[in-house]
Amino acid sequence: MTLSLHDASVPVFRHMLGALDGVLAKGEAHAKAQGYDPEVLLHARLFPDMFPLARQVQIACDFAKSVSARLADVEVPAIPDEERTFAELRQRIAKTLAFVEGLDALLFEGAGEREIVLRPGTPKERRFDGRNYLLQYGLPQFFFHVTTAYALLRHNGVPVGKLDYMGAR
């Protein structure tokens, strides 16, 4: 049995973005129940040199859509980073999911051997074949930002646990 890059990416992004949406909903509800403005959480950081919660969510979405698009050999959609509320971040997740889920699995055929070039023509240019791009770059980056978003909420007292992170329903 072979595992296609579509099967190794799209369902993973779908599942984890769904879980991220769930922990964001819990974060907003917790803040309201505790009597403080939920948007305070969107500016929370684990350390001063790290991105805040809102940016972590934006970047997780960016990796889900860009990795999927590059593997499917379609243009990466541009989504401006303008979200300022939980509702707007959750809307971004929904847009990302709609894009990722809308990619036909046939577009991913041959993606493992396809060359992926990031930042072409710059000193930061990186080249991968599709398989290594997904497994050694895209998925680790995606999981880092999803995990950091979860950790920020947990660190700030939101009652979420591993089952929330994993998206168990």
Side-chain angles (χ1 to χ4, degrees):
M1 179 182 142
T2 60
L3 180 67
S4 72
L5 290 192
H6 176 273
D7 292 344
S9 59
V10 170
V12 174
F13 295 139
R14 179 186 319 120
H15 183 79
M16 294 307 296
L17 287 174
L20 181 58
D21 184 66
V23 297
L24 289 177
K26 284 190 171 191
E28 182 177 28
H30 176 75
K32 289 177 180 177
Q34 297 299 309
Y36 63 90
D37 182 0
E39 275 66 43
V40 168
L41 290 173
L42 299 180
H43 303 286
R45 299 170 187 261
L46 289 175
F47 198 76
D49 69 349
M50 293 181 75
F51 288 127
L53 175 62
R55 188 73 182 118
Q56 298 291 344
V57 174
Q58 291 166 340
I59 295 171
C61 289
D62 288 347
F63 272 100
K65 71 178 172 63
S66 64
V67 169
S68 299
R70 288 184 182 112
L71 291 175
D73 202 24
V74 300
E75 187 173 337
V76 177
I79 299 176
D81 299 326
E82 300 173 341
E83 296 82 11
R84 302 288 180 256
T85 66
F86 275 91
E88 290 172 350
L89 284 172
R90 294 182 70 204
Q91 203 171 28
R92 184 184 183 113
I93 291 172
K95 286 179 192 173
T96 303
L97 284 169
F99 171 75
V100 169
E101 292 172 338
L103 294 170
D104 190 311
L106 293 176
L107 294 171
F108 289 73
E109 288 185 8
E113 294 74 38
R114 185 176 298 129
E115 184 177 47
I116 308 290
V117 182
L118 303 179
R119 299 182 182 110
T122 72
K124 292 185 176 186
E125 180 175 287
R126 294 189 67 185
R127 294 177 176 270
F128 301 90
D129 64 36
R131 183 175 289 105
N132 287 326
Y133 172 65
L134 175 65
L135 299 176
Q136 296 175 8
Y137 182 79
L139 286 176
Q141 292 280 353
F142 172 75
F143 278 110
F144 175 84
H145 293 286
V146 170
T147 302
T148 302
Y150 163 84
L152 279 160
L153 291 170
R154 181 76 173 116
H155 176 75
N156 281 280
V158 177
V160 291
K162 186 176 182 180
L163 290 178
D164 298 296
Y165 172 82
M166 295 302 297
R169 306 210 193 273

